[in-house]
Amino acid sequence: MNPIRIALLGAGTVASGVVKVLERNQEELRRRAGRGMEVVAVAARDPEKARKALGNRSPITQDFMALATRPDIDIVVELMGGIEPARQLVLAAIAAGKHVVTANKALLALHGNAIFAAAQEHGVMVAFEAAVAGGIPIIKALREGLAANRIEWVAGIINGTTNFILSEMRSKGLDFDTVLREAQRLGYAEADPTFDIEGIDAAHKITLLCAIAFGVPVQFDKVYIEGITKLQGADIRYAEQLGYRIKLLGITRRTPAGIELRVHPTLIPATRLLANVEGAMNAVVVQGDAVGATLYYGKGAGAEPTASSVIADLVDVTRLHTADPEHRVPHLAFQPGALADTPILPMDSIHTAYYLRIHVRDEAGVLAEITHILAENQMSIDALLQRPSGENDQHTDVILLTHETEESRMNNAQDRIQALDSVLAPIVRLRKEELR
Ligand code: NDP
Ligand code: HSE
């Protein structure tokens, strides 16, 4: 049988990994997919740079649209990133009857519903394993391996850049900017690294996991997002003294009232496997009602790990492209007509536990005032530390861990504590999850 014909849009980090792995493993891939896979052309805006990145193998064009819709192409692989022109190219490829493989989580988080609907209409597949957690086959696991389960929650370290930064800051005491530059040099960071450090990239990914886990549309506009840029070294150290590590987690959880969907720095017990995921590694825990907790761990970024997922999608599409579209795995795991309208909860309705660092005047009665306010809001304390702030003998840091409560109660209590005369600086508040 003739090889399946692939067009690559973009010739950067991931594209170079795809070309390399396709070439290195071509014989093995042919045996898996049942036919060969050939990159027949690449679209890049700078052909010279692309030739260097890819090793001058396939013809290079600057006309992205012509390649995305060329009649002899079977699969268009979008590895440009960003929203436009990627969105128009993907939609044009779908309209021209091409299957699409993409690693573009930003595009799918914002426009996934329209893209999947267009793919459904034209009977083609849009595969996106590489869009979440790089080389970890988490989409496949959630959509197929765990299909028997009612998923209860998903929590993951799904941004390699921020995990790398947090790990290096904690273990080597390096500063934020130095580590960020190193993550960029290693090819982990997005073209705009604010997407990584402000939690937006993780939010794109958890939005996709949420849709697949619970059978709801993709709803990026409903995610609560807090990145790591305001995190201070003092809190990383205090958390450690209390037996916790701070990780940027994407969390989505089914509750009787709706679905929680959030990204924020989170204290997790240092003994949890997730707390020990270091460097650019990613890990996702999925809690299903039948299987219990399962953990997926691996490289979340980089040329070849990401290529591993892109090529797994290419193998899937090659195997299935002649199958009846009605009998393929649905894009969002649930049949398109069976998506639920379960609401995404506003942030003040979520339930979690908290870490508070309160910089106070060191005098009698201050702690009593704080604990009184927490008690009035039906919040109970799990652990407490008091540490000299180092700046002034009469000032001290009070560090509190609470038990789980509704965020609205915490907001109310925090506002009242902040207003006390004895509280001398803005309270630092982080969320804490036991992940039981
Ligand atoms: P790169 O920036 O390394 O490569 C992107 C490629 O697309 C470059 O060839 C770039 O051209 C081209 N490109 C970008 N924007 C345009 C545009 N507007 N018009 C024409 N060409 C364009 O990105 P990556 O390979 O790292 O990422 C590709 C995709 O994979 C992104 O969606 C990313 O989020 C995703 N991803 C990346 C991972 C990683 O580890 N890097 C991991 C998982 C997913 P030029 O060189 O001229 O800028
Ligand atoms: N910038 C992303 C990260 C790449 O650091 O995880 C993988 O999606």
Short mmCIF file of all heavy atoms in Angstrom, two decimals, residues 10-14 45 49 64 79-81 85 103-105 130 187 190 300-302 306, ligand 1:
data_model
loop_
_atom_site.label_atom_id
_atom_site.label_comp_id
_atom_site.label_asym_id
_atom_site.label_seq_id
_atom_site.Cartn_x
_atom_site.Cartn_y
_atom_site.Cartn_z
N GLY A 10 4.61 24.31 9.95
CA GLY A 10 5.52 24.72 11.02
C GLY A 10 6.74 23.84 11.02
O GLY A 10 6.65 22.63 10.70
N ALA A 11 7.90 24.43 11.34
CA ALA A 11 9.16 23.67 11.29
C ALA A 11 10.02 24.03 12.50
O ALA A 11 11.21 24.32 12.37
CB ALA A 11 9.89 23.98 9.99
N GLY A 12 9.40 24.02 13.68
CA GLY A 12 10.12 24.38 14.91
C GLY A 12 10.53 23.15 15.72
O GLY A 12 10.82 22.08 15.16
N THR A 13 10.52 23.32 17.03
CA THR A 13 10.98 22.27 17.95
C THR A 13 10.26 20.94 17.72
O THR A 13 10.89 19.89 17.52
CB THR A 13 10.75 22.73 19.42
OG1 THR A 13 11.39 23.98 19.60
CG2 THR A 13 11.28 21.73 20.42
N VAL A 14 8.93 20.98 17.78
CA VAL A 14 8.17 19.72 17.71
C VAL A 14 8.25 19.13 16.31
O VAL A 14 8.45 17.91 16.14
CB VAL A 14 6.70 19.94 18.14
CG1 VAL A 14 5.93 18.62 18.07
CG2 VAL A 14 6.62 20.51 19.56
N ARG A 45 7.70 29.75 7.24
CA ARG A 45 7.82 31.10 6.67
C ARG A 45 9.28 31.44 6.35
O ARG A 45 9.55 32.32 5.56
CB ARG A 45 7.17 32.16 7.56
CG ARG A 45 7.61 32.17 8.99
CD ARG A 45 6.76 33.15 9.78
NE ARG A 45 6.96 32.92 11.21
CZ ARG A 45 6.21 33.44 12.13
NH1 ARG A 45 5.21 34.23 11.82
NH2 ARG A 45 6.45 33.19 13.40
N LYS A 49 15.76 28.56 7.54
CA LYS A 49 15.74 28.14 8.95
C LYS A 49 15.09 26.75 9.06
O LYS A 49 15.57 25.89 9.80
CB LYS A 49 14.92 29.18 9.72
CG LYS A 49 14.90 29.02 11.21
CD LYS A 49 14.19 30.22 11.83
CE LYS A 49 13.72 29.95 13.22
NZ LYS A 49 12.80 30.99 13.73
N PHE A 64 1.21 28.26 3.22
CA PHE A 64 0.61 27.36 4.20
C PHE A 64 -0.77 26.87 3.74
O PHE A 64 -1.10 25.70 3.87
CB PHE A 64 0.47 28.08 5.56
CG PHE A 64 1.77 28.20 6.31
CD1 PHE A 64 2.77 29.05 5.87
CD2 PHE A 64 1.97 27.49 7.47
CE1 PHE A 64 3.97 29.18 6.57
CE2 PHE A 64 3.16 27.60 8.19
CZ PHE A 64 4.16 28.44 7.74
N LEU A 79 1.78 22.31 13.57
CA LEU A 79 2.77 22.47 14.65
C LEU A 79 3.32 23.89 14.66
O LEU A 79 4.52 24.12 14.84
CB LEU A 79 3.90 21.44 14.48
CG LEU A 79 3.47 19.98 14.59
CD1 LEU A 79 4.60 19.05 14.25
CD2 LEU A 79 2.91 19.67 15.98
N MET A 80 2.41 24.84 14.44
CA MET A 80 2.81 26.25 14.43
C MET A 80 2.58 26.89 15.79
O MET A 80 3.33 27.72 16.26
CB MET A 80 1.97 27.03 13.41
CG MET A 80 2.00 26.44 12.02
SD MET A 80 0.63 27.04 11.03
CE MET A 80 1.07 28.76 10.92
N GLY A 81 1.47 26.51 16.42
CA GLY A 81 1.06 27.15 17.67
C GLY A 81 0.30 28.43 17.40
O GLY A 81 0.19 28.88 16.24
N PRO A 85 -2.55 32.16 12.15
CA PRO A 85 -3.46 31.54 11.17
C PRO A 85 -3.77 30.06 11.41
O PRO A 85 -4.42 29.44 10.57
CB PRO A 85 -2.69 31.72 9.87
CG PRO A 85 -1.25 31.63 10.27
CD PRO A 85 -1.16 32.24 11.64
N ALA A 103 -0.72 19.79 18.02
CA ALA A 103 -0.23 19.84 19.40
C ALA A 103 -0.68 21.14 20.06
O ALA A 103 -0.22 21.49 21.14
CB ALA A 103 1.29 19.77 19.40
N ASN A 104 -1.59 21.83 19.38
CA ASN A 104 -1.91 23.21 19.74
C ASN A 104 -3.06 23.30 20.77
O ASN A 104 -4.23 23.44 20.42
CB ASN A 104 -2.27 23.95 18.44
CG ASN A 104 -2.32 25.44 18.62
OD1 ASN A 104 -2.52 25.95 19.71
ND2 ASN A 104 -2.15 26.14 17.52
N LYS A 105 -2.65 23.26 22.04
CA LYS A 105 -3.68 23.30 23.10
C LYS A 105 -4.39 24.63 23.18
O LYS A 105 -5.58 24.70 23.51
CB LYS A 105 -3.08 22.93 24.45
CG LYS A 105 -1.86 23.75 24.87
CD LYS A 105 -0.58 23.04 24.51
CE LYS A 105 0.60 23.96 24.59
NZ LYS A 105 1.85 23.29 24.81
N ALA A 130 -0.71 15.27 21.70
CA ALA A 130 0.44 16.08 22.12
C ALA A 130 0.04 17.39 22.78
O ALA A 130 0.88 18.08 23.36
CB ALA A 130 1.34 16.36 20.92
N GLY A 187 13.82 24.54 25.16
CA GLY A 187 12.67 24.32 24.25
C GLY A 187 11.40 23.92 24.96
O GLY A 187 10.45 23.46 24.35
N GLU A 190 6.66 28.08 25.99
CA GLU A 190 5.87 28.51 24.84
C GLU A 190 6.58 29.69 24.17
O GLU A 190 7.42 30.35 24.79
CB GLU A 190 4.48 28.95 25.29
CG GLU A 190 3.63 27.83 25.84
CD GLU A 190 3.45 26.69 24.86
OE1 GLU A 190 2.94 26.90 23.76
OE2 GLU A 190 3.87 25.56 25.18
N GLY A 300 6.82 16.15 29.67
CA GLY A 300 5.67 16.96 29.23
C GLY A 300 6.02 17.93 28.12
O GLY A 300 5.15 18.66 27.65
N ALA A 301 7.27 17.97 27.72
CA ALA A 301 7.68 18.93 26.69
C ALA A 301 8.98 18.44 26.07
O ALA A 301 9.59 17.47 26.54
CB ALA A 301 7.87 20.31 27.32
N GLY A 302 9.37 19.15 25.00
CA GLY A 302 10.61 18.77 24.30
C GLY A 302 10.29 18.13 22.95
O GLY A 302 9.19 17.61 22.75
N THR A 306 7.32 15.09 22.61
CA THR A 306 6.08 15.60 22.02
C THR A 306 5.82 14.90 20.69
O THR A 306 4.68 14.55 20.35
CB THR A 306 6.15 17.13 21.86
OG1 THR A 306 6.58 17.68 23.10
CG2 THR A 306 4.80 17.71 21.50
P1 NDP B 1 8.24 26.56 17.69
O1 NDP B 1 8.10 28.01 17.98
O2 NDP B 1 9.54 25.90 17.95
O3 NDP B 1 7.87 26.30 16.17
C1 NDP B 1 6.74 26.85 15.56
C2 NDP B 1 6.90 26.80 14.05
O4 NDP B 1 5.75 27.37 13.44
C3 NDP B 1 8.09 27.60 13.53
O5 NDP B 1 8.53 27.02 12.33
C4 NDP B 1 7.48 28.98 13.28
O6 NDP B 1 8.14 29.73 12.33
C5 NDP B 1 6.13 28.56 12.74
N1 NDP B 1 5.13 29.60 12.96
C6 NDP B 1 4.73 30.09 14.14
N2 NDP B 1 3.79 31.02 13.97
C7 NDP B 1 3.64 31.16 12.64
C8 NDP B 1 2.82 32.00 11.83
N3 NDP B 1 2.00 32.88 12.36
N4 NDP B 1 2.91 31.87 10.51
C9 NDP B 1 3.75 30.99 9.96
N5 NDP B 1 4.56 30.16 10.67
C10 NDP B 1 4.50 30.24 12.00
O7 NDP B 1 7.07 25.86 18.46
P2 NDP B 1 7.02 24.38 19.04
O8 NDP B 1 7.49 23.43 18.02
O9 NDP B 1 7.65 24.35 20.37
O10 NDP B 1 5.45 24.20 19.29
C11 NDP B 1 4.57 23.88 18.25
C12 NDP B 1 3.22 23.56 18.86
O11 NDP B 1 3.35 22.45 19.73
C13 NDP B 1 2.62 24.67 19.72
O12 NDP B 1 1.22 24.64 19.59
C14 NDP B 1 3.01 24.27 21.13
O13 NDP B 1 2.15 24.78 22.10
C15 NDP B 1 2.88 22.78 21.02
N6 NDP B 1 3.64 22.01 21.98
C16 NDP B 1 4.98 22.26 22.15
C17 NDP B 1 5.72 21.49 23.01
C18 NDP B 1 7.16 21.71 23.21
O14 NDP B 1 7.77 21.02 24.03
N7 NDP B 1 7.81 22.63 22.50
C19 NDP B 1 5.08 20.43 23.79
C20 NDP B 1 3.68 20.23 23.52
C21 NDP B 1 3.01 21.02 22.65
P3 NDP B 1 9.34 30.72 12.77
O15 NDP B 1 10.49 29.83 13.12
O16 NDP B 1 9.55 31.52 11.52
O17 NDP B 1 8.85 31.51 13.92
#
